[in-house]
Amino acid sequence: MDTRFLGIPELTETPSVAVVVDVMRAYTVAAWAFARGAEKIVLAESLDDALALKARRPDWVALKDGAPAPGFDAVNSPGLLRSAYLGGRTVIQKTTAGTVGALAVKEASLVLCAGFVVAEATAGLLRQHGCDDVTFVVTGEDGRAEEDLACAQYIAGRVTGAGADATAFVRRAAESRAATELTEGVREGAHRDDVALCLEVDRFPFAMVAALEDSLMTLRPRGASASTGGTSA
């Protein structure tokens, strides 16, 4: 399998297959949302777009990065979201990097969104599709986020059967700038368990596929039942 690891600014053309990685915290949060019963996640272009969607569909659950804000129901924290009940709900998600990365490759034939929590399921779906040319979008820090690069490299290794031991990759993520900022409380809207939850490997047995639905980039679980692992805090 030919692989590329690119930051969002480096995406000069639409890849055929893209795996968008945001470990801390967008796609860990997305996986938890599905585990807590969400039907789908709409990835919003901007905060204003998220609020506009919420205004049209007040039954949808809107979440964002950072501190709580008027109009939003939740923040982008797995530690805070894991106790929510989202049975059958649609979630609107807008984050600094993760959702931006997925929207940047929305014309790709296959878009997967991933973190460590869905690593093997993501690798399995790539194997199932027989993908031989995959672009991994390292969303954080313009492609320099160590936690996202480590996860992307780990998933790539799992596709080919190499690098099955996650230990070194998880250690890199645990020592990343994002992990440090979350641990030290630099980032708002965080829970003390966020880093640990983001570093859980294969917590969930499903992959997450994003595709355009009625002009909205929409994320859905693919694979085993998404209502697995959603225990309360």
Side-chain angles (χ1 to χ4, degrees):
M1 183 179 72
D2 291 331
T3 57
R4 300 177 187 83
F5 301 92
L6 302 177
I8 297 170
E10 299 173 295
L11 294 167
T12 57
E13 58 185 27
T14 300
S16 174
V17 176
V19 179
V20 185
V21 181
D22 189 324
V23 173
M24 296 184 189
R25 295 163 284 172
Y27 295 129
T28 302
V29 166
W32 270 100
F34 290 129
R36 299 303 296 156
E39 177 186 355
K40 63 183 179 180
I41 298 173
V42 173
L43 306 178
E45 294 268 4
S46 67
L47 293 175
D48 286 344
D49 287 342
L51 289 173
L53 286 167
K54 175 70 175 179
R56 294 200 298 269
R57 295 297 304 266
D59 56 317
W60 288 8
V61 177
L63 68 83
K64 62 177 281 293
D65 270 341
F72 287 89
D73 306 289
V75 294
N76 191 48
S77 161
L80 295 171
L81 194 70
R82 63 181 168 175
S83 60
Y85 175 67
L86 299 172
R89 306 283 295 276
T90 293
V91 174
I92 307 163
Q93 186 179 32
K94 171 65 180 88
T95 70
T96 305
T99 57
V100 176
L103 289 162
V105 294
K106 62 184 178 182
E107 302 298 335
S109 60
L110 176 64
V111 179
L112 306 182
C113 296
F116 281 110
V117 292
V118 293
E120 174 54 30
T122 302
L125 195 56
L126 291 171
R127 289 193 298 268
Q128 178 184 325
H129 280 262
C131 300
D132 54 12
D133 189 352
V134 179
T135 297
F136 288 86
V137 183
V138 180
T139 60
E141 300 177 39
D142 290 336
R144 297 185 300 275
E146 188 65 17
E147 73 283 2
D148 294 338
L149 180 59
C151 183
Q153 292 171 339
Y154 176 63
I155 293 171
R158 292 288 285 265
V159 175
T160 60
D165 185 357
T167 304
F169 298 95
V170 171
R171 183 182 303 115
R172 287 166 55 191
E175 295 172 352
S176 68
R177 173 182 173 183
T180 299
E181 290 181 351
L182 286 168
T183 300
E184 294 179 351
V186 174
R187 299 190 182 190
E188 294 184 287
H191 185 278
R192 64 181 179 276
D193 293 337
D194 278 356
V195 172
L197 292 171
C198 290
L199 298 179
E200 289 186 320
V201 179
D202 300 335
R203 172 70 188 250
F204 304 112
F206 52 85
M208 300 185 292
V209 181
L212 288 169
E213 298 181 15
D214 298 324
S215 77
L216 297 174
M217 195 62 167
T218 303
L219 189 63
R220 293 182 183 270
R222 178 82 59 85
S225 172
S227 58
T228 302
T231 55
S232 296

